Amino acid sequence: MSTRAFVVVTGADGFIGQALVAHFGVTGRSFRAVVRRPGHAAPLPLRYTSVTDLATLSDAELDTLVAGTAAIVHLAGRAHVRDESAPDPDPLYRLANVVATERLAQAAVRAGVERFIYASSVKVNGEASLPGRAFRPDDPPAPHDAYARSKLDAEQALAAVCAGTATVPLVLRLPLVYGPGVKANFLTLIDEIARRRVLPLGAVHNRRSLLYVGNLVDAIDAALDASPAPAGVHFLADADAVSVPDLVRALAAAVGVDARLTSVPLPLLKLGGRVLGKSATIDRLTGSLEVDTASFRSATGWSPRHSRAEGLAATAAWWRTRHAL
């Protein structure tokens, strides 16, 4: 696909979406940024389109949205919610992640869109990988919660809709993505480190794959331009995995403080997590979660252009401006 071809980006006002359309603005790739702002009166920037809900738009509205496009990068959806309060979150995730993806894919097929890139999650494979055994695309899925189940169902719906058509489905299963504008757990970790909180993680020996958003937008470029299109499921990550204690040290250096780590034996750490109702958080901080990016690198020639140190430095620079406000 030509670098000048027209691309629709859904979820363009999210963390990844903002980085991607900014990247396209620099590289000159034509795009239409789709955001969900029902009832929003303020004018949108050029090349932005507001929708109510991709899951409930009419076929005609969806057809208009994707008309004339060569590719779709589908980032919109219901993200993983910490401390989920909905009594039954499955229908909410299904509507936002499965139904919306399926209907957008149907519109893509009707319009003859060449490629449909779907941002999925490593959580489709589970919450932890075995030590020394990174997740690979052909590993059996093992989703543990409503969010992960919905991402897997969306992947399968996309594949079914595109089967036998001219539209090539590409699924990118992403680990934790960080960079300027990051939210949720990663931002909380930076805040805790910057406050010089003592973190009881010094005894942890694990390996976690992360993905700098600058490397992700380069990978999306590669997915759009590779010939032939790298169909199927692929993992993305920075060049190397990192242990949580080493990540804490690197983040501390990036924000200009000393890392304050204390070594608590893992059994005691896990016991404390159970007592405080934070078992899932402790499991994420102590377990390994690595992914194998070989299939995507082989299919596209992509490799991470930015080191983790560069990504963390950019994240820390953004964090400092945020706290200067």
Side-chain angles (χ1 to χ4, degrees):
M1 195 184 106
S2 166
T3 57
R4 301 293 171 180
F6 186 60
V7 179
V8 164
V9 179
T10 70
D13 52 352
F15 163 47
I16 295 173
Q18 290 183 64
L20 183 61
V21 297
H23 174 72
F24 286 169
V26 171
T27 60
R29 193 186 294 272
S30 298
F31 66 90
R32 174 181 294 150
V34 179
V35 298
R36 184 178 179 180
R37 294 184 182 178
H40 197 278
L44 288 168
L46 184 67
R47 296 189 289 189
Y48 276 67
T49 298
S50 176
V51 300
T52 52
D53 188 339
L54 291 172
T56 58
L57 288 180
S58 69
D59 285 350
E61 289 171 314
L62 286 169
D63 290 343
T64 299
L65 194 67
V66 302
T69 185
I72 295 171
V73 180
H74 185 34
L75 304 173
R78 190 174 196 257
H80 186 259
V81 178
R82 292 186 298 173
D83 303 321
E84 178 66 68
S85 60
D88 183 10
D90 283 85
L92 301 175
Y93 282 114
R94 178 166 184 79
L95 185 66
N97 295 343
V98 185
V99 175
T101 301
E102 183 175 43
R103 297 198 63 239
L104 187 62
Q106 290 166 346
V109 168
R110 290 194 297 269
V113 173
E114 297 172 21
R115 303 181 190 201
F116 192 116
I117 299 174
Y118 179 57
S120 188
S121 169
V122 65
K123 286 179 173 287
V124 166
N125 288 82
E127 296 293 330
S129 58
L130 295 174
R133 172 58 166 82
F135 284 140
R136 296 193 292 256
D138 57 353
D139 286 338
H144 285 197
D145 59 19
Y147 168 73
R149 288 190 295 271
S150 74
K151 298 301 274 188
L152 174 60
D153 289 348
E155 292 180 9
Q156 295 173 339
L158 173 62
V161 169
C162 294
T165 75
T167 302
V168 177
L170 294 79
V171 172
L172 303 179
R173 289 185 186 162
L174 308 180
L176 188 154
V177 179
Y178 67 97
V182 70
K183 301 176 183 177
N185 292 327
F186 202 88
L187 178 57
T188 299
L189 180 60
I190 299 174
D191 288 340
E192 293 297 287
I193 292 168
R195 294 186 183 110
R196 296 174 171 79
R197 296 283 173 82
V198 176
L199 301 176
L201 303 171
V204 174
H205 298 284
N206 62 354
R207 301 291 292 170
R208 306 284 296 190
S209 290
L210 306 175
L211 179 59
Y212 174 49
V213 71
N215 288 329
L216 173 53
V217 299
D218 285 346
I220 292 173
D221 264 341
L224 289 169
D225 295 335
S227 182
V233 174
H234 304 278
F235 287 104
L236 296 177
D238 290 343
D240 57 341
V242 63
S243 72
V244 166
D246 283 346
L247 176 62
V248 169
R249 295 183 188 100
L251 277 170
V255 298
V257 300
D258 292 328
R260 302 189 68 192
L261 285 163
T262 186
S263 294
V264 175
L266 292 190
L268 187 58
L269 196 60
K270 289 179 178 291
L271 175 62
R274 287 196 297 272
V275 170
L276 297 173
K278 299 291 185 181
S279 288
T281 299
I282 296 301
D283 287 344
R284 283 194 298 272
L285 289 170
T286 59
S288 290
L289 201 162
E290 291 186 87
V291 302
D292 186 337
T293 64
S295 69
F296 189 79
R297 289 186 282 110
S298 175
T300 65
W302 170 84
S303 62
R305 180 163 56 96
H306 302 280
S307 68
R308 185 169 58 249
E310 291 171 333
L312 294 179
T315 308
W318 162 80
W319 181 88
R320 283 190 289 271
T321 63
R322 174 178 175 269
H323 283 264
L325 297 177

